[in-house]
Amino acid sequence: MTVTTDTVSRFASSLSGVGVELTRTEAAGFVGALEALVEPPAVGAPLGIDGLSLAEAGINAEPTSGELREAKTGVTRVGKGIASYGTLVLQSDAGGTEPTALYPPRHVGVLCESDVIEDVAAALDWLGDEFADGRDSAVFATGASATADMGELVFGVHGPVDVNVLLVTDR
């Protein structure tokens, strides 16, 4: 499936609507763009994207539980970005993507432009294939963590208070 300019524009607009900053970069500028978004100490989960390295940005991709607990920023790959809502699909894996995305107060999600999709139906189609291949856990995250269970809206209660997407435009 080819990602259209309209789909990416809609994704950018949806992210803005839920208070998520979008930074665009090509792979050649990835390290500098990532460093600008990270508040140390930072931890990450392996990205698995050709030509992109967390180590070059000084980010520990194999954190201990203590380092994860102390991190101010978590950097992970985003499986898919849903344009209609600005939603990030985060998969649980042995590399620690889910806790790295959800525990630190800031999350930087690295997303390939080719992984931006139109809507939830497209995400469910993709997840069906992922689940059939044994990758059977995913979280849909839209914006910063928030709850109003006890009255006034409060951010950062059960996840990051600050979310940024680093969109790699040539991947």
Side-chain angles (χ1 to χ4, degrees):
M1 179 176 105
T2 302
V3 177
T4 68
T5 302
D6 287 345
T7 302
V8 174
S9 294
R10 191 168 28 268
F11 181 62
S13 177
S14 294
L15 287 173
S16 178
V18 295
V20 174
E21 180 183 329
L22 174 68
T23 301
R24 298 169 197 249
T25 187
E26 291 185 349
F30 173 76
V31 172
L34 180 58
E35 289 173 338
L37 295 172
V38 167
E39 180 181 346
V43 296
L47 298 176
I49 303 170
D50 287 338
L52 303 186
S53 169
L54 294 179
E56 289 180 30
I59 296 171
N60 179 3
E62 294 182 9
T64 65
S65 59
E67 290 168 329
L68 179 61
R69 194 172 30 259
E70 297 300 319
K72 295 197 182 295
T73 305
V75 180
T76 67
R77 182 176 187 170
V78 174
K80 295 290 180 189
I82 302 174
S84 57
Y85 294 105
T87 297
L88 309 179
V89 182
L90 306 166
Q91 291 179 278
S92 183
D93 56 33
T97 294
E98 189 174 353
T100 303
L102 300 177
Y103 292 171
R106 173 177 287 175
H107 176 227
V108 176
V110 178
L111 177 64
C112 297
E113 187 173 87
S114 61
D115 289 328
V116 177
I117 56 178
E118 287 289 333
D119 52 30
V120 173
L124 294 176
D125 288 344
W126 175 73
L127 280 173
D129 293 338
E130 292 291 294
F131 288 3
D133 289 340
R135 293 178 294 275
D136 56 1
S137 179
V139 172
F140 284 41
T142 307
S145 163
T147 187
D149 289 350
M150 304 298 279
E152 187 176 326
L153 184 62
V154 178
F155 290 93
V157 174
H158 52 268
V161 69
D162 182 29
V163 178
N164 296 267
V165 172
L166 183 53
L167 185 68
V168 184
T169 58
D170 57 351
R171 295 286 188 266

